[in-house]
Amino acid sequence: MPRTTPLAREALFSAAAAAALAAAFAWLGPPGSDLAAHAYQRTVFLQHGFALWNNFWYAGRYSFITYSVLYYPLAALLGIKLLAVATIATAALAFAVVIGREWGPTARWSSRTFAVVWAGIVLSAAFPFALGIALALLALWALQARAHGRFACLAALTLAASPLAFLLLTLLLIGIALDRWAEWRRIVVPSLVMGVAGLAEVVLWRAFPDDGRYPFSAAELAAAATFCILGAVLTWRVESARRLRFVFVVYMAACLGAFIVPSAIGENIARLRYAAIPVAVLLLSLRHWRPRFVCIGVFALAVSWNVTPLAASFAHATSDPASSKAYWAPAVTYLHRHLGPSYRVEAVDTEGHWAAVYLPRAGIPLARGWFRQDDFPQNKLLYSPVGTRAYLAWLRNLGVRYVVLTGAPVDYSARGEARLLASGRSGLRPVFWTPTLTVYEVPLAQRIITGPGAAGVVAFTQTQIDLQVARAGRYRLAVRYSPYWQPSVGCVLPRQDGMVELAIPRGGRVQVRFDVQPGQALREVTGRRSSACADVD
């Protein structure tokens, strides 16, 4: 019987430890801060498959296609918790192998700390990202073995699981390539693989454009910059660590770019912080923890940067009582009786974001959801103190008739909104309340469809809206514009506010459905957009 190598034992130990900790967090700990998003998206996949549009969040948004096309099918098959444990264990195994092959026994404490802190990602529930990182580490393992075919497959799967994880893999490989430029023949194939995969992602973003952006605070940039500067300084003159020095330089440039140029990436670029402790342990071990006091200080900073978001996620999850379906049941019952298909609901966001699960599951469309980048620019006003007039205008523009305010701790983006409602100066009237929540009615609420004649929504589904309009004309449909909206009569144009304008040639029943046609997708990719409404007054 062949004997296992020390590296194999170390990798298996790390994987087992990570799996045990992840399972404890998943089944015994509080729900992660992003769990609501994945619970609802998994439900959408189970009910509708790859429905590329979702009318029930944010006045409509693209689903799956530019976020993760791999995670939700796997979550539907295995369940969120089991997939999380398998993903984290795989990442710990691959991390131990990759750094063990590169640096030998010196790296063993880095792999052990990775097993511990990476299991903590369950507390944030950043599961598509965690799946992408596991696949990225497997891709690095394949690259070490010069198995380029396997590397290509795993790089493509990384992109399918998480474009963010693919971006971090790309930055890592660029940093390594800069240090090994003299060995350019070895990096040609990996460069081609990453280039082709990256081009495919650019094509998807062109075909399914989104102007949303994720915020990136100066404080978070400062923390990421400190990590990068210290990492570069600690590796620059250490021979065994030199291959990592440009990784920190490249990562620093990427963080600066994400801060300067608003995009859906934003502060997400700093997610390397979830592995700050094992990275620091690796670098300090390669320096033999010399000079001692400097290394201890650097390690303390890495612990702070790594642990802070996990501790915040844990605290928020344990303080949020709104994670159960029963908590929302009274509001759901009231809204089913009074809402009607022509209106939406605004649920004042809580720290756990559970309204984004239970209300849409009950067929109630929301003005918000749980992807923060979709708040910008549409819901930007909620992130600062909001006045009555601006708040009412925002609610009416989105076709909101009712607002639900709970007693649960609110998300930081909803503090001004909650204070305004609680003050009694919002202009909204409470129409239903329980000990845990209050439903407010918007005065003079505006329907989702408005225009020159009477109009209303007859039916509202995931990817389709059935309308009844009294006469011909141009109508505003409070749904985010996409080039793939196809009306049964008339045509669709984008409005300056990002919503849909419907040009309808006659009164009657109109069906507007989301339908991706290859020709239209090609026109989006190539920039040859044309309006089907050119012949409509």
Side-chain angles (χ1 to χ4, degrees):
M1 182 176 179
R3 297 176 59 187
T4 58
T5 64
L7 177 58
R9 289 195 297 271
E10 185 68 35
L12 290 172
F13 170 77
S14 296
L21 286 170
F25 287 137
W27 273 278
L28 302 178
S33 54
D34 282 354
L35 183 59
H38 307 314
Y40 176 60
Q41 293 277 88
R42 179 177 181 268
T43 297
V44 170
F45 182 84
L46 287 169
Q47 294 177 348
H48 305 283
F50 272 109
L52 301 184
W53 186 262
N54 179 3
N55 269 330
F56 287 86
W57 274 10
Y58 293 105
R61 67 179 300 273
Y62 291 117
S63 288
F64 308 129
I65 191 65
T66 54
Y67 183 72
S68 180
V69 298
L70 180 61
Y71 173 77
Y72 294 104
L74 291 177
L77 179 65
L78 300 176
I80 290 176
K81 293 181 179 181
L82 181 58
L83 178 58
V85 172
T87 292
I88 289 167
T90 300
L93 177 76
F95 184 86
V97 171
V98 168
I99 67 168
R101 284 184 167 184
E102 198 70 33
W103 289 286
T106 304
R108 63 181 179 273
W109 281 107
S110 178
S111 63
R112 292 172 185 178
T113 53
F114 182 87
V116 174
V117 301
W118 197 248
I121 208 168
V122 172
L123 298 174
S124 73
F127 294 140
F129 173 70
L131 175 62
I133 290 297
L135 291 164
L137 289 167
L138 290 173
L140 290 174
W141 185 350
L143 195 57
Q144 281 182 324
R146 301 190 183 182
H148 289 148
R150 191 162 79 244
F151 168 76
C153 291
L154 289 165
L157 288 172
T158 300
L159 179 59
S162 169
L164 178 61
F166 178 83
L167 174 60
L168 293 181
L169 174 62
T170 302
L171 297 176
L172 174 64
L173 293 178
I174 290 173
I176 294 172
L178 289 174
D179 186 66
R180 298 185 175 183
W181 189 249
E183 306 172 50
W184 63 269
R185 289 182 178 84
R186 291 185 59 181
I187 64 177
V188 170
V189 173
S191 298
L192 288 173
V193 168
M194 300 302 286
V196 170
L199 180 61
E201 181 66 11
V202 170
V203 168
L204 278 180
W205 278 102
R206 293 277 296 175
F208 299 94
D210 191 348
D211 61 353
R213 61 180 177 85
Y214 197 95
F216 195 169
S217 69
E220 289 298 333
L221 174 65
T226 301
F227 176 78
C228 293
I229 292 169
L230 290 174
V233 169
L234 289 171
T235 57
W236 207 262
R237 295 183 179 275
V238 179
E239 185 62 30
S240 58
R242 282 188 60 193
R243 66 200 67 176
L244 292 176
R245 59 182 179 171
F246 284 112
V247 172
F248 293 100
V249 175
V250 171
Y251 185 54
M252 176 76 170
C255 290
L256 287 172
F259 180 79
I260 295 169
V261 181
S263 71
I265 297 173
E267 196 174 296
N268 286 314
I269 193 71
R271 281 196 181 177
L272 187 60
R273 68 188 304 173
Y274 289 129
I277 291 175
V279 170
V281 169
L282 174 62
L283 301 184
L284 299 177
S285 297
L286 294 174
R287 293 182 61 91
H288 305 291
W289 291 79
R290 301 289 187 215
R292 182 78 65 188
F293 289 111
V294 172
C295 289
I296 291 174
V298 169
F299 179 71
L301 288 173
V303 170
S304 175
W305 199 45
N306 199 145
V307 172
T308 300
L310 300 178
S313 295
F314 181 85
H316 292 163
T318 53
S319 65
D320 190 349
S323 60
S324 70
K325 182 179 179 180
Y327 189 93
W328 298 95
V332 168
T333 301
Y334 179 86
L335 294 170
H336 276 166
R337 290 174 180 170
H338 298 87
L339 181 63
S342 291
Y343 299 96
R344 286 193 182 87
V345 168
E346 159 63 354
V348 179
D349 201 15
T350 66
E351 289 181 341
H353 318 286
W354 288 100
V357 179
Y358 296 117
L359 298 187
R361 275 184 182 174
I364 297 168
L366 294 179
R368 299 185 72 189
W370 181 222
F371 276 101
R372 199 174 296 279
Q373 50 267 53
D374 285 318
D375 273 330
F376 298 87
Q378 178 180 289
N379 308 326
K380 180 181 177 181
L381 87 164
L382 298 178
Y383 286 76
S384 58
V386 57
T388 300
R389 182 177 299 179
Y391 185 56
L392 285 172
W394 176 75
L395 293 170
R396 289 167 180 155
N397 285 338
L398 289 174
V400 173
R401 184 176 180 184
Y402 294 106
V403 175
V404 181
L405 174 66
T406 72
V410 297
D411 180 70
Y412 77 87
S413 67
R415 290 169 187 166
E417 182 182 13
R419 282 195 298 267
L420 181 63
L421 289 166
S423 72
R425 298 191 301 270
S426 66
L428 277 66
R429 180 172 62 94
V431 291
F432 175 77
W433 53 88
T434 72
T436 57
L437 60 84
T438 303
V439 178
Y440 295 84
E441 185 172 15
V442 179
L444 303 175
Q446 186 171 286
R447 294 188 175 196
I448 288 174
I449 182 168
T450 55
V457 177
V458 178
F460 194 92
T461 66
Q462 191 82 16
T463 57
Q464 184 171 302
I465 307 169
D466 292 352
L467 307 167
Q468 184 72 35
V469 299
R471 63 185 182 88
R474 290 185 178 265
Y475 290 78
R476 179 184 185 270
L477 185 62
V479 175
R480 281 184 172 178
Y481 174 78
S482 167
Y484 307 111
W485 281 121
Q486 303 293 331
S488 57
V489 295
C491 51
V492 165
L493 284 171
R495 290 175 54 89
Q496 286 190 343
D497 61 2
M499 299 299 173
V500 164
E501 182 172 294
L502 270 175
I504 301 174
R506 60 183 180 275
R509 191 75 169 262
V510 181
Q511 182 185 87
V512 185
R513 61 190 177 91
F514 183 87
D515 186 16
V516 179
Q517 298 292 333
Q520 182 62 49
L522 181 61
R523 286 192 292 273
E524 287 295 310
V525 171
T526 58
R528 298 198 303 269
R529 300 179 179 91
S530 62
S531 172
C533 291
D535 58 344
V536 177
D537 292 332

